[in-house]
Amino acid sequence: MGALGIGAVAVAGYQLRGEAESADIQRPEASTGKNPVVDENTATGSQEWVAGHDGTVAANDKAAQIQGYASTTSAGPGESIDFHLWSHTAQACTVAIYRLGHYGGQGARHLVTSDPVDVEARTRPEADAATGLIACDWPVSWTLEIPETWVSGLHLAVFTSDDGFRSYTPFVIREPKRRSDVLMVIPFTTYQAYNMWPSDGRIGKNLYKGFTPDGKIGGNPERAFQVSFDRPYAHVGLPSWFEMDTSAVRWAEEAGYDVTYASSVDLHEGLLDASRYTAIIFSGHDEYWSKDMRDWAEEAVAAGTHLAFFGSNNIYFHIRVEASGDDRQSRVVTCYKQDEDPDPGAGGATERWRTIGKKHRQAEQGLLGVQYNGMPAQPVPLVVRESKHWFWAGTGLRDDDQIPDLIAVEADGFDDSMPRPENAEQTLLSESPYSDRMGRGRRIQNTSLCQDGAGTLVFVAGTFHWPLALSAPEHVNTQIQRATTNLMTKMLTGRSS
């Protein structure tokens, strides 16, 4: 599925749910005493950002009609973000900023549009011969000064050329000084790991593959060991599986949770105090983690902050997040995987977490309770277990009931040979058989909930389709909505400081 089709349809089609449903939702009361997200979502929404509106056409990598990237994955009120653009011909272009949310079913709100800025064709960089790194050095086209009044959220910069082409890049507005019930973390390190810009049949690479000399997509021999944030996202500019995150965002904001946002790079840089949040949601495909990110999450649990992973294949690869060639921090993601890492550093080699050290001591299951175990050949049902658990209350589900097509793309399961969370009681809420499309035979998917002695919860959905079931029109499932609401209610009950 292409990024444009999924991302655009997911937001543009959101009005199918209708405002009648929204009116019946009981807003959870914020323990912090204030919740600007509710007021923010009363603002007028807009779908004008979608390629096709006003006759615009989605840009592509080969022609590169209009593309750009941001100078950072996140910034706060009072800070600024630079946008670096190129166009296939010298012309005027605009940058419009939209905040994603519910907004009465519209899915986004227009905040500001730049004056026309002059953009020229730029030089497309070649990949570094040793690492495969592709990094642009395009000049700044426009700078966004973030108003103090803007509410934390997932945002899109929308680039539109004078000759009618359009592309995007996402970023987060954070509010690290504001205590909120929920922090939602957007997986920018994983976005970049899968970014194959430019997907032009020649130059593009990501941490999985690149192009062969005859223009076909290759594999490990062609892949990069380093990828840069200093480049657009491939195709129209929406990252791989961006729809998992936008669906979770719209669900949380429609429900009225007191939520602030951060990028995964913010966790790496230590910009956030986990104790300021009652629960932390990892909204999508969150596969690539540095040691600093994992340390931060483990410290959050130790301090009593709940974690909820709405996707699967979490914390799978260990990475380094490094400076650019001109010493701008956190602009490069490094992962050598099965190849020898020339500079492992204190955190160890950049390989699978479960292979670092002896006896699988760093396996992700030690924090999560489950871990990636395969790729379903086709979507299969989630098979319910422990239906009397509070998690499934109000869903009407019983053991062995099936939720159609919920297990898809990648799946997690419990592995008895791997570490498990210490001093924690684990409940496996599903037991879903599937056939692995990579030829690894029959596998079992598990949705997991762990609770330690202090009552702190770590939830892992264990499938890509869980966040889509929260609000994406073609995937919405009321039983998953109810179960996830039960989870959030449990996490947000009883803690006020």
Side-chain angles (χ1 to χ4, degrees):
M1 295 181 179
L4 172 64
I6 292 295
V9 171
V11 175
Y14 189 53
Q15 76 274 18
L16 295 175
R17 297 191 62 192
E19 296 191 41
E21 284 187 58
S22 305
D24 295 332
I25 293 175
Q26 293 185 348
R27 305 291 183 190
E29 184 176 348
S31 68
T32 59
K34 59 180 180 178
N35 186 352
V37 168
V38 171
D39 288 341
E40 169 65 27
N41 276 270
T42 64
T44 301
S46 172
Q47 296 181 6
E48 294 184 359
W49 68 274
V50 177
H53 190 273
D54 286 340
T56 55
V57 177
N60 64 75
D61 286 356
K62 288 187 177 181
Q65 300 95 339
I66 178 70
Q67 292 187 312
Y69 60 93
S71 61
T72 182
T73 63
S74 75
E79 299 177 348
S80 63
I81 300 178
D82 294 329
F83 294 98
H84 306 253
L85 276 63
W86 94 340
S87 174
H88 64 135
T89 185
Q91 62 180 315
C93 302
T94 59
V95 183
I97 305 299
Y98 287 77
R99 183 185 183 277
L100 303 183
H102 178 57
Y103 300 107
Q106 293 296 303
R109 176 193 175 198
H110 174 251
L111 298 175
V112 67
T113 298
S114 73
D115 293 330
V117 295
D118 292 330
V119 178
E120 298 179 357
R122 310 295 182 192
T123 300
R124 198 174 257 170
E126 295 290 335
D128 180 83
T131 66
L133 181 73
I134 299 170
C136 302
D137 60 356
W138 304 344
V140 176
S141 300
W142 183 67
T143 299
L144 170 67
E145 303 289 346
I146 301 168
E148 295 286 349
T149 55
W150 280 16
V151 175
S152 179
L154 177 59
H155 292 65
L156 274 181
V158 181
F159 311 130
T160 305
S161 63
D162 190 51
D163 60 356
F165 290 93
R166 178 165 287 177
S167 67
Y168 313 95
T169 201
F171 63 96
V172 164
I173 299 296
R174 61 177 186 266
E175 288 184 78
K177 295 181 181 179
R178 183 171 85 79
R179 185 182 297 274
S180 63
D181 287 340
V182 180
L183 175 71
M184 188 174 292
V185 180
I186 309 299
F188 278 81
T189 52
T190 300
Y191 287 169
Q192 200 53 250
Y194 282 83
N195 181 16
M196 203 166 163
W197 185 91
S199 185
D200 60 355
R202 188 177 73 87
I203 300 172
K205 294 179 183 291
N206 62 18
L207 294 181
Y208 292 88
K209 54 195 176 184
F211 291 104
T212 61
D214 60 359
K216 296 180 180 179
I217 295 177
N220 283 327
E222 290 77 32
R223 75 177 184 90
F225 301 130
Q226 292 186 317
V227 289
S228 173
F229 285 106
D230 290 324
R231 57 179 182 152
Y233 290 101
H235 308 298
V236 77
L238 298 178
S240 174
W241 288 104
F242 187 60
E243 63 271 26
M244 294 172 71
D245 304 292
T246 59
S247 182
V249 166
R250 293 194 305 273
W251 168 79
E253 299 216 349
E254 181 183 13
Y257 291 111
D258 173 28
V259 57
T260 53
Y261 295 82
S263 82
S264 53
V265 176
D266 297 330
L267 270 59
H268 171 79
E269 293 184 336
L271 298 181
L272 303 162
D273 179 356
S275 68
R276 300 180 70 84
Y277 314 103
T278 304
I280 299 170
I281 293 174
F282 298 89
S283 53
H285 183 198
D286 215 330
E287 182 178 353
Y288 286 79
W289 282 54
S290 70
K291 182 179 185 299
D292 288 331
M293 291 168 62
R294 182 162 178 174
D295 288 348
W296 187 90
E298 291 178 343
E299 290 166 4
V301 174
T305 300
H306 308 293
L307 306 183
F309 292 81
F310 283 179
S312 58
N313 193 19
N314 304 291
I315 319 182
Y316 186 62
F317 279 113
H318 173 226
I319 60 173
R320 289 192 296 276
V321 182
E322 300 180 305
S324 63
D326 57 358
D327 292 326
R328 287 173 294 115
Q329 296 302 303
S330 303
R331 298 302 288 171
V332 173
V333 174
T334 299
C335 190
Y336 279 82
K337 299 186 178 180
Q338 72 274 11
D339 291 273
E340 183 178 357
D341 188 338
D343 186 23
T350 51
E351 56 186 302
R352 292 169 180 83
W353 277 99
R354 63 187 70 173
T355 62
I356 297 174
K358 297 180 179 180
K359 297 182 179 180
H360 309 293
R361 290 175 182 170
Q362 296 297 312
E364 59 271 33
Q365 185 172 278
L367 170 62
L368 301 173
V370 289
Q371 60 187 37
Y372 167 77
N373 68 1
M375 305 175 73
Q378 58 187 7
V380 300
L382 178 140
V383 181
V384 173
R385 289 288 182 267
E386 303 292 343
S387 59
K388 294 182 179 180
H389 194 279
W390 56 258
F391 180 84
W392 294 119
T395 64
L397 293 166
R398 298 181 179 181
D399 282 8
D400 295 322
D401 282 353
Q402 299 184 2
I403 302 176
D405 297 336
L406 192 64
I407 309 306
V409 187
E410 295 181 338
D412 294 344
F414 177 74
D415 187 335
D416 191 54
S417 69
M418 293 289 180
R420 64 189 71 189
E422 296 182 1
N423 304 315
E425 178 182 345
Q426 183 175 28
T427 304
L428 296 180
L429 297 160
S430 69
E431 187 177 340
S432 314
Y434 70 91
S435 295
D436 179 67
R437 73 177 177 90
M438 302 299 290
R440 292 171 290 197
R442 184 178 182 272
R443 300 294 175 99
I444 299 294
Q445 179 274 347
N446 299 118
T447 298
S448 172
L449 183 69
C450 294
Q451 181 171 336
D452 68 15
T456 306
L457 302 172
V458 176
F459 169 78
V460 180
T463 172
F464 272 36
H465 277 190
W466 192 285
L468 300 182
L470 295 176
S471 72
E474 64 274 29
H475 292 279
V476 166
N477 182 281
T478 57
Q479 292 164 322
I480 293 302
Q481 289 175 327
R482 176 58 188 266
T484 310
T485 299
N486 291 343
L487 173 71
M488 297 306 298
T489 298
K490 187 74 169 182
M491 286 184 166
L492 298 180
T493 298
R495 178 176 169 180
S496 60
S497 62

